[in-house]
Amino acid sequence: MKVYILKEKDINKRVAGRFIRLINKKENPVIGLATGSTPEGVYNELIKAFKKGIVSFKNTISFNLDEYLDLKDEKYSYRSFMNEKLINHIDIKQSFMPTDNYDDLIKAKGGIDIQLLGIGRDGHIAFNEPGTDFDSLTHIANIAEMTRIDNQRFFENGDKVPERAITMGLKTIMHSKRIILIAFGKNKADAVAKMINGPIHKSCPASILQKHPHVEIFIDEDAASLL
Ligand code: F6R
């Protein structure tokens, strides 16, 4: 695990740079994307680079980590979020959200070259909440209460965060060739410390990343404050 402690704007630039280099080098790049507040700055950098002609996504395929189930309104879907924050602004070849046989589909497309991750306050990655099996593939998961509270900020007019989602499993994520995890802010510090220094244990799903051969963790000083 390589850990970089940097300012938020430098993290966004560096991480976007990692994706741009991959995409400019590889014939058929496959990238793994996340939703939430954390990756928005990276997506803005990617859109800027595309508009300047520094990168084209025309041969790139993306796989998102997760998608809500049982939504009352499509506008809250992670598909809508991704379209608005990235996909509608670039020339990407194909962009997938989790479905049945997602692991087979990822494999058929050559596997994920770089997977982008955020982390939840309870140590979740994607919707793999504490207690999730390290051997899990893409599956339907219950969203933990703490995560539903945290994600309520994206919902309006009394609409509630769903209780279930479809998510890449921990093994799905571990199959990625490279992983980049980003975290900002003091409220992530405890999860970040457990992920990096804690035992590899189901109580902190992100701790499994200690076993991956090519992981980079980009955190700001606040998220690093308990290291
Ligand atoms: C999103 C995802 C989640 C988030 C995590 C952090 O696709 O899989 O694990 O990365 O909940 O969310 P933010 O970035 O909003 O703090």
Side-chain angles (χ1 to χ4, degrees):
M1 242 177 198
K2 272 196 201 142
V3 181
Y4 302 87
I5 302 168
L6 297 165
K7 297 219 181 316
E8 182 167 339
K9 77 172 184 343
D10 296 324
I11 291 176
N12 294 336
K13 288 206 169 99
R14 285 236 207 163
V15 172
R18 298 276 199 278
F19 281 96
I20 292 167
R21 273 202 298 284
L22 167 85
I23 290 165
N24 284 336
K25 198 170 77 185
K26 221 187 154 207
E27 213 171 313
N28 293 300
V30 180
I31 59 176
L33 301 177
T35 55
S37 303
T38 310
E40 282 195 43
V42 173
Y43 298 155
N44 289 337
E45 291 296 328
L46 292 177
I47 293 167
K48 264 199 265 172
F50 169 69
K51 288 191 169 152
K52 284 188 191 159
I54 294 166
V55 66
S56 162
F57 300 83
K58 68 176 193 298
N59 298 317
T60 299
I61 292 177
S62 70
F63 286 97
N64 258 83
L65 285 171
D66 42 20
E67 179 58 283
Y68 286 126
L69 295 175
D70 318 318
L71 272 175
K72 245 176 76 178
D73 193 326
E74 255 308 291
K75 71 179 178 193
Y76 300 120
S77 68
Y78 281 171
R79 162 51 70 207
S80 302
F81 179 95
M82 286 312 297
N83 286 350
E84 184 191 322
K85 303 292 180 190
L86 180 68
I87 303 300
N88 288 349
H89 309 282
I90 59 174
D91 61 344
I92 200 156
K93 183 176 171 190
Q94 263 179 316
S95 145
F96 293 102
M97 303 304 286
T99 53
D100 291 343
N101 303 321
Y102 205 46
D103 290 82
D104 293 338
L105 183 62
I106 294 170
K107 210 167 164 188
K109 299 290 183 189
I112 293 171
D113 293 305
I114 304 181
Q115 174 67 55
L116 185 60
L117 295 177
I119 185 170
R121 276 196 297 145
D122 60 3
H124 72 240
I125 48 176
F127 275 125
N128 295 287
E129 297 285 7
T132 306
D133 205 323
F134 287 144
D135 278 333
S136 52
L137 296 172
T138 302
H139 63 286
I140 292 174
N142 293 319
I143 306 174
E145 202 47 40
M146 186 192 278
T147 307
R148 293 186 62 225
I149 292 167
D150 286 347
N151 289 4
Q152 190 58 46
R153 69 188 191 281
F154 293 109
F155 288 71
E156 301 157 353
N157 309 321
D159 290 339
K160 290 271 178 283
V161 179
E163 293 182 5
R164 300 189 312 152
I166 179 164
T167 180
M168 283 191 197
L170 292 169
K171 201 167 202 171
T172 316
I173 293 169
M174 290 295 279
H175 280 151
S176 310
K177 292 164 204 164
R178 288 170 63 183
I179 294 172
I180 296 176
L181 184 143
I182 307 178
F184 300 128
K186 273 226 156 57
N187 64 340
K188 300 289 176 74
D190 184 53
V192 164
K194 285 182 177 141
M195 164 178 71
I196 295 173
N197 294 327
I200 299 173
H201 191 269
K202 281 188 194 176
S203 57
C204 177
S207 63
I208 193 62
L209 300 178
Q210 292 177 29
K211 284 204 171 166
H212 193 284
H214 199 149
V215 181
E216 293 180 303
I217 312 284
F218 287 86
I219 46 181
D220 66 2
E221 286 209 13
D222 284 343
S225 58
L226 295 178
L227 288 179

